[in-house]
Structures are given as structure tokens and as C-alpha cells.
């Protein structure tokens, strides 16, 4: 009941300040093709072979003060839509070999620059020799659920866009197809989880902060083994830790029900043949770990890995360790955990923290 009231209150505020407080809904949405250029392209989700010219990435709606690493704004035509993303490249190495890729999804009502500032994933990942792509959602949101709606009539649109983006970056930026990862915050976290659930062979790992799997008519069910980390605030007032089985109505887009953070992680554990979890208390958070069945990983990845749930004390609907203040009503930001570093450690070594 408390979560419903908070969402109703924040939804009213979001109408007055849509660029910031619309994040509060943090909801899995089902995909749509509005708000972008149109063109003639097959519905198979394959991109044009020639991307647009790059322009500096320092332009845009970031709300933080962090200085971004050098990057470019890029675009790609997929399903007849021009889709845009920020791309950050690591420094060239002597070997110039294949590089890991992280695709990071922003929250509802936000954009790529906001997530970059909040997480500093660009700095942390490029320092590790990783490519980072921050895609822009249509209508500032993602189709993280499977139910078609009036606003997002094609529930598979963002899944196909992500597949096409990965394929494009493998071809043009020497991304390593065996080391492709997704991460996201809020609605973007749910989008990362949907990719992990529906395309486990595409990914070597996934991470979500303040995002859960949708349930009900828009349910997403994991289809195979993949290492997954779910980071969640114990005091999230927007999308509660226990899930939101009966969300209130929303005048803009339907608010979709979600399962709890623990049930979200457990669903991925079950898909990977994991046994009983082990939970231990660490400084400022609890870590629950499921060990995936040996040999379960697919997509050319090394077998094994884990599914992990980190429940962070004194944390709200926020990115732990961020220096960017959250919108009013989102709750506190924990300083006990560096979510960015923890997630990258996990993605590159899915047994990390076991």
C-alpha cells in the first residue's frame, strides 16, 4: 500500500517535472516505436550497415557533475527507427584485440547521459579496457515487459534493438561476442533482466540495480543459464524490495506488476540449475549467492558462475555509491557499496564474491 501511494504521488510530480521525477515510476514497459525517425527497414531488427557520423558526447541531459570519458553519439537504424546511443571506447591497446562490451540501460524518464553521470560506468569500464554503450530508450523508457500496450504496441522492439546493437558493435568496434554484458537502473535494470532472460546465449552476464522481472500479463521468464547480479535497496520506496504485485493505474503508460527482488534472482538461479543459496552479511549489505550448475553456461562462454542478490541497507531507489543526488522521494544513496565496481567485478568474473 505504501509503495502504491508513493508511486501515485511521484507520478503527479512527474507531470510537473518529467525530465527528472518520471524516473520514480521505474517500471518495466513494453516496447514501442514512437519518438524517432522512420524509414524503410525490415522488421527483422537488423541494422543498416552504415551508421551516422559521430558527434561529441558532451551534449545532452546528464544531471550530474562527473566529467565523462571521451565518447561519441552514434545512431543505428533498426526496425525502421533511428536509435541513438552514447559509445565510450577504451584506449587503444598494443594488441588491439577483441574488447568486452557493456550495454547499459537508463531508467524511465531519464536518458543515456543521466545514467552515465549517475554510475560513472564510462570511466570504470573504459579503464578496464571495456567498450560501453548507453542506448537511448524510445519515449525515455524501455519495453522490459512482454505485454503489448497502446503506447508500446511491439513488446519485442527493444530486445531486437539490443541484439542489433551488439551485432553492430561486434562488427564495427571489435566487441568480443563472448564477453557481452548488460546492466541497467530501474526500468533499465528490468530491461537488462529481460535480455538475460530471453537471450541468455547472447550474454556473458547481466546486472540490475533497482529493477525486477515483470510478472502477470507482461511476465518475463528466464529461458536459460546466465550469471546475473541484482542490487536492491532495502528501503526502496518506489519499487519495493518485495515487488509490486498490484500497481496503481498510470495516465501515461501502464504500470506493470513485478515480482520481488529475491524471486527475480531465484528465477535466474532455477534456470541455471542452481542449488540452495547461501546468504551472508557483509558491511552495509546482505549477499545471497546461488551457484549455477557446472557446465550450464552457453553462448561460447566458460561454464559456471553465480546468481547473486545484494540487498543494501539504508538504500532507496538509488545507485549505491553514486555522487549524484537522487530526485526527491527516491530515498537515500548508500555509501557502503560501490555498485559500479561491484557489478563490473561480477560481470568479468561471475564467481566474484562467492
Amino acid at each position: 500500500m505504501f509503495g502504491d501511494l508513493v508511486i501515485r504521488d511521484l507520478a503527479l510530480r512527474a507531470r510537473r517535472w518529467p525530465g527528472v521525477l518520471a524516473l520514480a515510476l521505474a517500471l518495466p514497459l513494453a516496447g514501442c516505436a514512437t519518438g524517432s525517425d522512420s524509414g524503410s527497414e525490415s522488421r527483422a531488427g537488423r541494422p543498416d550497415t552504415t551508421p551516422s557520423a559521430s558527434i561529441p558526447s558532451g551534449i545532452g541531459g546528464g544531471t550530474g557533475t562527473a566529467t565523462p570519458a571521451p565518447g561519441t553519439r552514434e545512431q543505428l537504424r533498426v526496425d525502421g527507427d533511428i536509435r541513438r546511443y552514447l559509445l565510450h571506447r577504451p584506449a587503444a591497446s598494443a594488441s588491439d584485440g577483441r574488447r568486452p562490451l557493456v550495454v547499459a540501460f537508463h531508467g524511465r524518464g531519464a536518458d543515456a547521459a543521466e545514467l552515465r553521470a549517475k554510475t560513472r560506468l564510462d570511466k570504470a569500464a573504459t579503464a578496464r579496457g571495456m567498450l560501453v554503450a548507453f542506448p537511448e530508450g524510445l519515449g525515455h523508457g524501455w519495453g522490459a515487459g512482454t505485454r503489448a500496450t497502446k503506447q508500446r504496441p511491439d513488446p519485442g522492439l527493444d530486445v531486437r534493438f539490443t541484439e542489433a546493437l551488439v551485432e553492430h558493435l561486434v562488427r564495427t568496434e571489435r566487441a568480443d561476442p563472448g564477453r557481452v554484458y548488460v546492466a541497467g537502473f530501474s526500468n533499465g535494470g528490468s530491461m537488462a533482466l529481460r535480455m538475460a532472460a530471453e537471450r541468455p546465449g547472447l550474454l556473458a552476464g547481466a546486472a540490475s540495480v533497482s529493477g525486477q522481472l515483470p510478472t502477470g500479463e507482461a511476465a518475463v521468464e528466464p529461458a536459460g543459464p546466465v550469471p546475473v547480479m541484482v542490487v536492491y535497496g532495502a528501503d526502496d520506496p518506489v519499487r519495493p524490495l518485495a515487488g509490486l504485485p498490484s500497481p496503481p493505474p498510470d495516465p501515461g503508460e501502464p504500470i506493470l506488476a513485478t515480482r520481488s527482488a529475491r524471486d527475480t534472482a531465484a528465477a535466474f538461479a532455477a534456470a541455471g540449475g542452481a542449488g540452495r543459496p547461501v546468504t551472508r552479511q557483509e558491511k552495509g549489505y546482505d549477499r545471497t549467492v546461488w551457484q549455477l550448475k557446472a557446465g550450464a553456461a552457453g553462448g561460447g562462454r566458460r561454464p559456471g558462475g553465480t546468481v547473486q542478490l545484494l540487498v543494501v541497507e539504508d538504500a532507496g531507489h538509488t545507485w549505491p555509491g553514486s555522487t549524484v543526488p537522487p530526485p526527491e522521494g527516491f530515498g537515500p544513496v548508500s555509501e557502503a557499496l560501490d555498485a559500479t565496481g561491484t557489478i563490473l567485478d561480477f560481470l568479468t568474473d561471475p564467481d566474484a564474491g562467492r
Side-chain angles (χ1 to χ4, degrees):
M1 179 66 179
F2 174 70
D4 290 1
L5 292 174
V6 169
I7 286 182
R8 289 192 186 97
D9 177 61
L10 291 172
L12 290 173
R13 290 187 234 166
R15 296 190 197 110
R16 288 181 282 169
W17 301 290
V20 178
L21 291 178
L23 276 167
L25 296 176
L27 307 169
L29 311 175
C32 142
T34 61
S36 63
D37 300 333
S38 62
S40 58
E41 181 69 25
S42 74
R43 304 304 295 175
R46 299 184 64 84
D48 285 353
T49 57
T50 305
S52 69
S54 301
I55 61 177
S57 65
I59 305 169
T63 57
T65 58
T67 302
T72 57
R73 284 191 181 272
E74 308 283 349
Q75 63 185 43
L76 189 68
R77 186 183 296 276
V78 181
D79 279 344
D81 293 303
I82 297 296
R83 303 300 299 264
R84 295 177 170 84
Y85 60 98
L86 300 180
L87 180 64
H88 291 265
R89 302 172 178 89
S93 63
S95 62
D96 196 28
R98 291 284 181 180
R99 298 176 289 191
L101 168 65
V102 180
V103 179
F105 302 98
H106 61 75
R108 184 183 186 188
D111 59 19
E114 190 272 348
L115 183 67
R116 179 182 61 186
K118 183 203 308 284
T119 65
R120 298 186 179 182
L121 268 169
D122 55 324
K123 290 180 175 294
T126 54
R128 299 171 185 234
M130 306 171 80
L131 288 161
V132 189
F134 294 92
E136 300 278 7
L138 295 175
H140 296 281
W142 298 103
T146 57
R147 179 166 66 95
T149 66
K150 179 180 178 180
Q151 296 83 356
R152 297 181 180 269
D154 184 347
L157 190 67
D158 286 329
V159 173
R160 297 196 302 275
F161 165 51
T162 305
E163 288 180 300
L165 178 60
V166 169
E167 177 186 341
H168 177 70
L169 295 176
V170 167
R171 187 176 67 253
T172 63
E173 297 289 341
R174 298 189 59 77
D176 186 346
R179 292 182 292 170
V180 175
Y181 312 103
V182 291
F185 174 73
S186 192
N187 170 230
S190 293
M191 185 66 216
L193 293 173
R194 182 178 182 186
M195 289 304 302
E198 296 186 356
R199 300 294 187 271
L202 179 70
L203 304 175
S208 169
V209 177
S210 299
Q212 300 160 323
L213 282 174
T215 188
E217 295 180 356
V220 172
E221 297 293 340
V226 62
V228 170
M229 173 174 279
V230 177
V231 179
Y232 224 88
D235 302 316
D236 190 326
V238 175
R239 178 68 62 173
L241 178 68
L244 196 63
S246 301
D250 180 78
E253 294 194 63
I255 297 175
L256 303 183
T258 55
R259 63 183 83 188
S260 72
R262 185 179 180 92
D263 286 349
T264 292
F268 284 100
R276 294 172 61 88
V278 175
T279 300
R280 66 175 181 272
Q281 189 171 15
E282 302 189 20
K283 187 176 180 179
Y285 61 96
D286 290 341
R287 186 192 299 264
T288 300
V289 180
W290 291 261
Q291 181 66 50
L292 295 176
K293 184 178 180 181
R301 306 183 305 270
R302 67 184 180 84
T306 61
V307 171
Q308 300 193 22
L309 170 64
L310 276 57
V311 178
V312 186
E313 300 170 7
D314 301 319
H317 196 75
T318 54
W319 187 279
S322 177
T323 60
V324 177
E328 181 184 355
F330 275 42
V333 178
S334 171
E335 297 180 359
L337 178 72
D338 170 17
T340 297
T342 300
I343 285 170
L344 292 179
D345 286 344
F346 173 79
L347 294 179
T348 53
D349 178 6
D351 288 310
R354 184 176 62 175

